[in-house]
Amino acid sequence: MTLSTADNEFESQAQALGFDFNGEIKIGGHYASVIQHGHEVYVSGQIPRVGDKVVVTGAAGEGVTLEQAQLAAQICVIRALALLRNQLGSLSKIKQVLRITVYVNSAHNFTQQSEVADGASDILFRVLGEAGRHTRTSVGVAQLPKSATVELDLIAAI
């Protein structure tokens, strides 16, 4: 099977992070990781979990650096892309990422949520090119599941 350019770039970006995102992406509850409705695909919130371990935890600006929080956002978006690839068979089927929302577990004085989200946005553009350009909201929150530093959800058109 020949991989598309997007699928090859996904593999390259995943390897650059130093983690393996092949295999099952675990979820924790009675919901769907991905729902396809017409020409849109919705990906549930992803935290920076690799296998059974959440690899970046705690509040950005309080024990978690901007760079660590950006890594968390990168892992979250790679997980979302892995789910999309599993659902669609290839990332080349994505016509456009429409929106991402990035939630950042933030210390009370941390104001760089958009810079954290840049970690995810950069990966989307590297993997999907212009199809990875999206609208985005980044929000600081007091806590996330499993004490994760970042949670990200995504909507794409296919």
Side-chain angles (χ1 to χ4, degrees):
M1 177 172 109
T2 304
L3 294 178
S4 73
T5 302
D7 294 318
N8 282 327
E9 189 57 33
F10 167 83
E11 291 295 337
S12 174
Q13 293 298 314
Q15 286 177 354
L17 292 176
F19 299 107
D20 182 9
F21 295 92
N22 293 313
E24 180 185 5
I25 301 289
K26 296 183 180 191
I27 63 170
H30 298 288
Y31 63 91
S33 298
V34 180
I35 290 186
Q36 184 175 335
H37 181 50
H39 295 289
E40 292 183 343
V41 182
Y42 298 79
V43 179
S44 293
Q46 299 300 305
I47 60 175
R49 183 188 324 228
V50 178
D52 290 325
K53 183 175 183 196
V54 180
V55 296
V56 185
T57 59
E62 188 175 276
V64 177
T65 66
L66 173 60
E67 292 76 20
Q68 291 168 318
Q70 287 171 326
L71 172 63
Q74 292 169 338
I75 293 168
C76 292
V77 80
I78 286 288
R79 283 176 54 93
L81 288 169
L83 287 165
L84 285 168
R85 187 175 67 165
N86 291 346
Q87 175 78 18
L88 303 172
S90 173
L91 295 174
S92 66
K93 294 183 180 176
I94 297 172
K95 300 250 185 266
Q96 190 71 52
V97 174
L98 301 173
R99 178 173 187 76
I100 67 170
T101 305
V102 180
Y103 304 92
V104 182
N105 179 351
S106 300
H108 75 279
N109 61 346
F110 185 79
T111 60
Q112 293 180 291
Q113 290 81 10
S114 61
E115 287 87 346
V116 171
D118 286 342
S121 294
D122 291 348
I123 295 260
L124 286 171
F125 192 75
R126 281 188 218 122
V127 170
L128 300 171
E130 282 300 319
R133 196 173 301 280
H134 53 273
T135 64
R136 179 179 89 186
T137 298
S138 50
V139 181
V141 297
Q143 191 59 264
L144 288 168
K146 312 288 185 220
S147 198
T149 302
V150 175
E151 183 170 6
L152 174 145
D153 63 33
L154 180 150
I155 303 169
I158 56 172

